[in-house]
Amino acid sequence: MNHPPVSNDFYLAGEFEGRKGVSSGWRERLKRHFDNDMSAQDQAIFQDEHNNGAHWYACHAIGKFSVRPQRRQRIDDRSTAAILSHEVPTYFHAKGNCSKHPSLALFAGPVFSVDEPLKAFIEWLEPGVHRFFPIEVRPIRGSPPPTPRYILIVQQELDSFSEEHSNKGSFRKDCDKIQHSEKPKDMCGLAFRKADFTGSHLWYERRIASFLLCISERLQAEIADAGLRIPRHFQMKEV
């Protein structure tokens, strides 16, 4: 699956902890935590020569919830990797009708969100592998209340991509990383070693730097049988 498009109902515009006059209440709250609650020792991890520690801490914390969290070279202290309770956003203020949001979608951010049925399938197939955080979605005035949603953090990376068995033109090499083509015909030519992903159901590929969320046939079948809506996805090759 490629990065979900931002032009349809697989994307929900809005702000985390948003309120009038503040672009992101979540970001501002994290900055206040840095200024008021963090020890000088912890602040030093994020501080720079321009005294922008609060900014870098907020970016770092928010980045943990990204659709594919990136390792920031600036901040290499492993003690900061865990998600702390105060870093979890408490609500998402939607700017559109979210009463019929699909089972897998993006909140502005971008952050993956799932509904209860999809969460149940993922936890059933891979118990304890991925992380879910309940998030209150506040709809625009006059809209019906949305179904319960969870932030999803995919916590599995595999190394099953096979260059030699993938079709020519389906990817290009960028140093030691892979950038895949997002064209449907090219994506169907990407190949993965079954021996290296057997037993896994939701993962990213370690060597593929472009966004590619991999879903097993088993999980895809459960989603289809239940009639759940997820973004467009394509069958890839297994070898």
Side-chain angles (χ1 to χ4, degrees):
M1 178 192 299
N2 289 321
H3 196 289
V6 299
S7 58
N8 57 27
D9 61 353
F10 289 107
Y11 178 87
L12 182 61
E15 295 288 348
F16 286 99
E17 300 180 23
R19 60 187 189 276
K20 187 176 181 179
V22 177
S23 60
S24 174
W26 183 25
R27 184 180 298 274
E28 295 305 312
R29 178 171 63 78
L30 291 169
K31 288 181 179 180
R32 289 196 301 272
H33 175 84
F34 178 92
D35 291 333
N36 301 327
D37 301 316
M38 288 181 69
S39 67
Q41 181 180 358
D42 289 340
Q43 286 180 340
I45 297 172
F46 303 95
Q47 205 58 269
D48 63 11
E49 65 273 19
H50 303 295
N51 201 33
N52 289 325
H55 166 78
W56 289 118
Y57 168 67
C59 290
H60 178 72
I62 291 172
K64 297 177 185 181
F65 298 86
S66 170
V67 290
R68 187 173 186 180
Q70 299 296 316
R71 296 178 180 85
R72 297 179 179 272
Q73 294 182 351
R74 246 203 107 259
I75 302 166
D76 58 5
D77 191 318
R78 290 185 177 275
S79 66
T80 67
I83 294 175
L84 306 179
S85 59
H86 71 270
E87 293 174 341
V88 181
T90 56
Y91 70 92
F92 183 81
H93 188 85
K95 292 183 178 179
N97 189 338
C98 51
S99 61
K100 294 183 178 180
H101 217 42
S103 292
L104 175 65
L106 276 180
F107 284 152
V111 174
F112 265 142
S113 77
V114 298
D115 62 9
E116 185 71 53
L118 182 52
K119 172 179 178 287
F121 280 137
I122 295 171
E123 291 188 308
W124 172 51
L125 291 171
E126 292 190 309
V129 174
H130 309 288
R131 298 198 68 181
F132 300 87
F133 297 92
I135 180 79
E136 177 192 357
V137 180
R138 298 183 180 179
I140 57 175
R141 184 175 299 176
S143 298
T147 57
R149 308 253 352 151
Y150 299 83
I151 292 173
L152 163 66
I153 300 180
V154 177
Q155 294 203 137
Q156 188 165 227
E157 283 192 343
L158 302 179
D159 188 12
S160 67
F161 176 69
S162 174
E163 291 185 43
E164 59 269 31
H165 292 100
S166 294
N167 293 355
K168 183 179 180 180
S170 63
F171 71 95
R172 63 179 176 84
K173 297 192 70 172
D174 184 5
C175 297
D176 61 337
K177 294 293 186 180
I178 299 295
Q179 300 284 340
H180 79 282
S181 170
E182 295 188 0
K183 296 179 180 178
K185 67 179 182 64
D186 291 336
M187 291 191 66
C188 295
L190 297 171
F192 300 84
R193 295 181 297 271
K194 188 174 182 178
D196 293 326
F197 69 75
T198 295
S200 299
H201 298 280
L202 189 66
W203 73 94
Y204 296 120
E205 280 290 323
R206 189 171 290 113
R207 294 181 57 222
I208 297 181
S210 48
F211 181 86
L212 182 70
L213 180 64
C214 298
I215 301 173
S216 71
E217 288 186 343
R218 176 69 185 281
L219 177 56
Q220 194 277 335
E222 298 291 349
I223 289 171
D225 289 347
L228 305 183
R229 292 179 60 226
I230 64 173
R232 192 181 182 193
H233 48 285
F234 306 94
Q235 179 78 44
M236 298 182 286
K237 297 196 298 184
E238 59 180 52
V239 295

